[in-house]
Amino acid sequence: MRTRFFIKNLLLFLFPLLIPVIILGTLSIVVTKQYIQGEINKNNLVLFNQIDRNMELIVDEMNSLNVSLGNSEVVFRLGEIMRTQTLTLENLRLMKTMLNYINGPSNAKPYMESIYVYVNNPYRQFLASGEGLVRLQGFNDPSWMDSFAAHPDRTAIWTESRRIRRYSFEAPVAVTTLYQNLVSNVQNRPSGVIVLNIDTGYIEKLLADMTTYPDQQIFVMDESGSPVFQTHTQTGSPIPDIGRIPYSDHSANWKTGGTTYLVSQFKAKSGWTYISVTPRLSLNRIPFQLSALTVFFVLLSFVLGLALTWLLTQRSVRHIRRIIELIKHAEAGAPLPETDSVRKTDEYGYIAQRIIKNFIERHYLSAQLSEKKYKLRTAELLALQAQINPHFLFNTLETIYWKVLGLTGKPNEANRMLENLSALLKYSLDTPNEIVPLAQEIESAKTYIRIQQIRYKDRFEAIWQYDIEELQDAGIARLLLQPLIENCMSHGLREQEVKLRIKIKLARLPGHIRIAVID
């Protein structure tokens, strides 16, 4: 009888306890895998767009130099300069202009190591950024000439990974060199080359900062399938046969060296290919943890079910024996044994109600947990969107800045307005409710004034009067000075034709700071 009751109670209580746990765990694993896959595709799309914008800046720099220096007349004049030992005043002016073209990007771009411009000449002279007109013999970086000589008829951009020495006393540094032949329309063949040396470490650090998953690696491949830039994992273990990955416009699994990777690829307009390679093991950590938790809860539920079944069986057998004892006493006519008041209640009904209640509470808690997870993910997405929008605005302003610079060939008022506007927007959007140092607020107001001075053609001037040491530790609400200055400009420029003068005085008094704006 005890065995029969034990098996019956085990089937009644153990299976209802295990089935919801198994179903809930399985559904959680499936939903989590689908969610992770969707997030991976979305993050990789954002990642590739960011990489493409950065790579386009490098390619656009080469195209801009090719447009500026690839003119037949300019190529001829550069060749004349490099083939002679004496320079006329006109040639000196031209050389100075060419040096400005190559020194500007080399000094302004942190990833630009150096730029060379070479036109065929018997002395092997060329223009080098930061150096001027130099000879190949005795120069710290002569190896680029070999690559140019090996590609005499190539018209497209090609790349090469090299190590160059900036100075004789420094160790060599890794660079990625881009070559673009200068093709003369008269001779219809390359007569020189433009060489861009890109700091490989800077670009690879930039790519590493874009990774979103553990052990994720990013590769930038050129048209021939050779890596131009690539990130490195913390373990430093390279991925073999990266050039043999078949191209696919959607994420796919790829196995090599006993490891399975998730590979996503994007082919840019420049012909370069961006590849994201992430070990599957890194992406499956959360589903694996959910599977382990599911198995743990199933085993825990099984152990608890056994214990509960044993207790219920003991109680059921005890109740049945007591009932049999009562029946025997009744049949024998003997006095019935006393029973306490608790045993007069419906214990089986009570147990059933407790099991149902426990099941409902478990299901309710699971639903609450899922709802909280959904709200948390929604909040995270909203927070991410709030971060992306300012970054998108800053990136757009930066892109406009370089487009304007590419069209004009040199910095101008539009570039300065874009720089000031970007700085002002970044200052206004960065934690607007916090108190900032007064010196920082003054710099923001000066940035606003520089924008307005370009707009109104210097119809007004601003005079500042303050002691920076006196106000060094002072704090102020963000964007407090700008409305005061804007009000002076709005009324002063409209009501008079003479040049407006705005005087801003700041002084520290006991317990407060006095700000006066006078026009």
Side-chain angles (χ1 to χ4, degrees):
M1 180 179 65
R2 186 187 299 273
T3 304
R4 186 175 70 254
F5 270 98
F6 180 80
I7 295 175
K8 180 180 178 181
N9 290 331
L10 185 65
L11 295 175
L12 288 176
F13 295 106
L14 190 59
F15 280 98
L17 192 64
L18 291 178
I19 291 175
V21 176
I22 295 174
I23 294 176
L24 183 61
T26 304
L27 289 177
S28 300
I29 294 171
V30 173
V31 171
T32 302
K33 284 186 175 180
Q34 293 177 351
Y35 173 78
I36 291 176
Q37 187 64 44
E39 286 297 305
I40 290 173
N41 295 333
K42 186 191 303 180
N43 291 338
N44 283 339
L45 181 60
V46 175
L47 172 66
F48 289 147
N49 287 332
Q50 290 178 344
I51 296 174
D52 191 45
R53 284 195 294 268
N54 287 286
M55 294 302 107
E56 278 186 354
L57 291 177
I58 298 176
V59 176
D60 288 346
E61 196 65 52
M62 174 64 83
N63 293 333
S64 177
L65 288 173
N66 189 40
V67 171
S68 301
L69 305 177
N71 183 274
S72 300
E73 182 180 354
V74 175
V75 171
F76 177 79
R77 295 290 299 279
L78 284 174
E80 184 182 26
I81 292 173
M82 296 178 186
R83 283 190 294 269
T84 183
Q85 297 298 300
T86 58
L87 298 176
T88 64
L89 179 59
E90 185 178 357
N91 285 339
L92 284 173
R93 291 175 179 174
L94 177 62
M95 186 175 69
K96 183 178 180 180
T97 302
M98 296 301 102
L99 286 175
N100 289 335
Y101 276 124
I102 64 176
N103 285 334
S106 179
N107 295 330
K109 308 296 191 308
Y111 55 83
M112 193 73 67
E113 176 61 32
S114 56
I115 301 175
Y116 309 147
V117 178
Y118 171 77
V119 178
N120 295 329
N121 65 93
Y123 305 104
R124 288 199 166 188
Q125 295 187 116
F126 62 95
L127 295 180
S129 59
E131 299 286 342
L133 184 62
V134 296
R135 288 193 176 188
L136 187 66
Q137 183 179 4
F139 191 65
N140 291 326
D141 177 26
S143 63
W144 59 270
M145 181 64 74
D146 297 334
S147 181
F148 167 60
H151 300 81
D153 299 326
R154 186 157 185 172
T155 57
I157 298 174
W158 75 93
T159 61
E160 180 186 13
S161 296
R162 303 189 302 127
R163 298 186 71 84
I164 67 173
R165 189 188 301 271
R166 297 189 185 98
Y167 305 101
S168 58
F169 54 84
E170 285 188 353
V173 296
V175 298
T176 299
T177 303
L178 278 68
Y179 299 89
Q180 174 77 64
N181 281 336
L182 290 172
V183 181
S184 173
N185 295 330
V186 178
Q187 299 177 349
N188 199 22
R189 60 184 177 83
S191 56
V193 67
I194 300 176
V195 180
L196 266 65
N197 292 317
I198 308 300
D199 188 345
T200 304
Y202 182 91
I203 299 297
E204 291 182 349
K205 183 180 182 302
L206 186 66
L207 295 177
D209 293 339
M210 297 180 185
T211 58
T212 54
Y213 303 103
D215 299 327
Q216 181 182 13
Q217 290 185 256
I218 301 173
F219 298 86
V220 179
M221 317 291 287
D222 60 13
E223 296 178 350
S224 63
S226 301
V228 179
F229 304 106
Q230 67 181 74
T231 60
H232 304 277
T233 60
Q234 295 180 353
T235 58
S237 56
I239 299 178
D241 303 329
I242 189 65
R244 298 183 180 180
I245 299 178
Y247 178 76
S248 176
D249 56 357
H250 60 275
S251 300
N253 291 327
W254 179 62
K255 188 174 182 180
T256 182
T259 305
T260 301
Y261 299 91
L262 180 67
V263 178
S264 300
Q265 303 182 63
F266 178 81
K267 187 173 288 295
K269 295 180 180 179
S270 61
W272 290 3
T273 303
Y274 313 134
I275 303 177
S276 170
V277 181
T278 308
R280 266 293 182 186
L281 184 61
S282 299
L283 300 175
N284 292 334
R285 288 178 182 173
I286 295 179
F288 178 78
Q289 291 175 355
L290 287 175
S291 301
L293 287 175
T294 301
V295 173
F296 170 76
F297 281 117
V298 168
L299 294 177
L300 180 62
S301 300
F302 182 76
V303 173
L304 293 177
L306 287 177
L308 180 62
T309 300
W310 185 81
L311 290 175
L312 291 177
T313 300
Q314 290 294 106
R315 295 184 63 183
S316 298
V317 171
R318 187 172 61 248
H319 285 306
I320 291 174
R321 286 178 177 176
R322 190 175 294 276
I323 292 174
I324 292 175
E325 184 181 359
L326 290 174
I327 293 174
K328 288 181 178 180
H329 277 78
E331 290 178 349
L336 297 177
E338 295 184 0
T339 57
D340 52 23
S341 58
V342 177
R343 308 214 188 275
K344 296 180 182 179
T345 60
D346 184 8
E347 294 181 352
Y348 289 95
Y350 176 77
I351 294 174
Q353 290 178 6
R354 293 296 300 175
I355 293 176
I356 296 173
K357 183 178 179 181
N358 289 338
F359 175 78
I360 293 175
E361 288 178 350
R362 182 185 295 273
H363 187 273
Y364 176 72
L365 290 175
S366 300
Q368 276 190 327
L369 181 60
S370 299
E371 182 179 357
K372 288 182 178 180
K373 287 182 178 179
Y374 174 77
K375 291 181 178 179
L376 179 60
R377 290 170 183 165
T378 303
E380 290 175 350
L381 290 175
L382 291 175
L384 181 60
Q385 183 180 6
Q387 294 174 359
I388 289 176
N389 288 338
H391 289 304
F392 172 76
L393 180 58
F394 299 147
N395 290 337
T396 302
L397 288 175
E398 185 178 3
T399 302
I400 296 173
Y401 174 90
W402 292 117
K403 289 294 183 181
V404 172
L405 185 60
L407 292 174
T408 60
K410 60 181 180 179
N412 51 46
E413 288 187 347
N415 293 116
R416 291 194 293 274
M417 288 191 72
L418 287 171
E419 287 179 346
N420 292 324
L421 179 59
S422 179
L424 189 62
L425 287 176
K426 184 176 181 181
Y427 175 76
S428 62
L429 294 175
D430 186 17
T431 57
N433 296 325
E434 292 186 0
I435 299 299
V436 299
L438 183 56
Q440 187 175 352
E441 174 66 15
I442 293 173
E443 288 301 320
S444 174
K446 290 181 178 179
T447 301
Y448 170 76
I449 291 174
R450 286 193 291 269
I451 294 175
Q452 295 294 357
Q453 284 177 334
I454 297 175
R455 177 185 175 189
Y456 290 104
K457 305 297 182 182
D458 294 327
R459 290 178 54 196
F460 73 98
E461 64 175 342
I463 302 172
W464 292 84
Q465 183 177 343
Y466 60 91
D467 187 353
I468 188 62
E469 294 183 357
E470 182 182 59
L471 305 175
Q472 186 173 7
D473 58 344
I476 192 173
R478 193 184 297 269
L479 298 177
L480 185 63
L481 293 176
Q482 180 179 331
L484 301 176
I485 300 172
E486 184 177 4
N487 185 61
C488 290
M489 294 173 53
S490 176
H491 294 285
L493 293 176
R494 182 177 57 188
E495 295 176 359
Q496 60 185 7
E497 296 297 329
V498 298
K499 187 171 184 179
L500 175 65
R501 287 177 178 163
I502 301 175
K503 188 174 185 180
I504 304 102
K505 299 174 60 177
L506 299 97
R508 186 159 195 165
L509 301 178
H512 66 282
I513 296 174
R514 184 177 66 189
I515 300 173
V517 181
I518 307 168
D519 61 36

